[in-house]
């Protein structure tokens, strides 16, 4: 039998994720900002596990995954799959005006803010929401893997053309944490 000892840091993360789960459960309308791999994964998970929630994906690009080396066909299929989700609305080519959220973002140690609000996009559209997740990929958080996995000079996980982590047969990396570059063709 294994005996697990949880550090106070680990317990802090457990507490943080428990709070996040409570916030998701309480929200009726959820907004995800960012249509990269992380934002799309979050939208898919939220749509699946919280099918009665209204989910809005707002992305600055004209298609999803626009800052990746993935092919146009893959991007189009991914976008079509997300748009087909019954409880998801996709808004492309729009940027959320962050001025009203700036103080909350700076004070928060997590990548979301809760509370009923109305977001305004760069096109003047209004989005009512109870919870906003930021998946904009501004900087890769390497704390959880930088000492245990092979990383490049930017701190991203080294992967092969199949997105397998170098030296690992059964572990993969995708999204902002993966050093993909132009070698992956889908």
């Amino acid at each position: 039998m294994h005996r697990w000892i949880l550090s106070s840091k680990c317990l802090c993360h457990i507490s943080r994720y428990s709070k996040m789960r409570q916030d998701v459960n309480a929200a009726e309308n959820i907004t995800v900002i960012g249509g990269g791999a992380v934002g799309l994964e979050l939208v898919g998970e939220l749509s699946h596990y919280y099918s009665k929630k209204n989910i809005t994906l707002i992305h600055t690009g004209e298609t999803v995954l626009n800052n990746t080396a993935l092919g146009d066909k893959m991007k189009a299929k991914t976008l079509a799959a997300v748009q087909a989700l019954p409880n998801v609305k996709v808004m492309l080519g729009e940027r959320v005006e962050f001025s009203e959220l700036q103080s909350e973002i700076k004070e928060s140690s997590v990548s979301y803010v809760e509370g009923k609000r109305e977001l305004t996009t760069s096109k003047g559209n209004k989005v009512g929401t109870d919870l906003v997740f930021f998946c904009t990929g501004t900087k890769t958080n390497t704390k959880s893997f930088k000492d245990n996995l092979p990383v490049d000079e930017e701190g991203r996980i080294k992967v092969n053309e199949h997105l397998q982590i170098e030296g690992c047969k059964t572990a993969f990396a995708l999204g902002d944490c993966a050093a993909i570059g132009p070698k992956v063709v889908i």
Side-chain angles (χ1 to χ4, degrees), residues 18 51 54 67 70 72 75 97 118 124 140 163:
S18 293
S51 60
N54 301 309
N67 291 330
L70 299 174
D72 290 341
K75 293 174 187 179
E97 302 295 334
E118 187 174 77
T140 304
L163 303 176

Side-chain angles (χ1 to χ4, degrees), residues 98 134-141 156 176:
F98 282 108
F134 303 98
C135 302
T136 55
T138 55
K139 185 178 181 211
T140 304
N141 181 350
R156 297 176 189 271
D176 296 336

Side-chain angles (χ1 to χ4, degrees), residues 70-120:
L70 299 174
D72 290 341
K73 189 175 180 181
M74 177 66 168
K75 293 174 187 179
K77 282 185 174 184
T78 302
L79 176 58
V82 172
Q83 289 174 322
L85 296 171
N87 59 333
V88 175
K89 177 182 178 183
V90 178
M91 299 172 72
L92 297 174
E94 302 202 44
R95 181 178 303 274
V96 172
E97 302 295 334
F98 282 108
S99 55
E100 69 251 23
L101 298 173
Q102 210 60 20
S103 62
E104 289 181 77
I105 294 168
K106 286 180 181 174
E107 293 173 14
S108 176
S109 62
V110 293
S111 57
Y112 76 98
V113 292
E114 82 257 16
K116 192 171 277 304
R117 67 191 74 238
E118 187 174 77
L119 302 175
T120 305

Side-chain angles (χ1 to χ4, degrees), residues 44-76:
E45 295 292 326
L46 289 169
S47 175
H48 178 77
Y49 290 105
Y50 299 94
S51 60
K52 298 209 182 326
K53 309 278 183 192
N54 301 309
I55 302 160
T56 302
L57 171 67
I58 303 174
H59 184 58
T60 57
E62 294 302 324
T63 188
V64 295
L65 301 166
N66 59 306
N67 291 330
T68 68
L70 299 174
D72 290 341
K73 189 175 180 181
M74 177 66 168
K75 293 174 187 179

Side-chain angles (χ1 to χ4, degrees), residues 21-35:
R21 176 175 241 146
Q22 290 171 357
D23 292 338
V24 169
N25 284 329
E28 183 179 329
N29 300 295
I30 301 171
T31 301
V32 176
I33 300 173

Side-chain angles (χ1 to χ4, degrees), residues 159-164 172 184:
V159 296
N160 66 19
E161 66 274 8
H162 305 291
L163 303 176
Q164 289 173 297
F172 298 81
V184 177

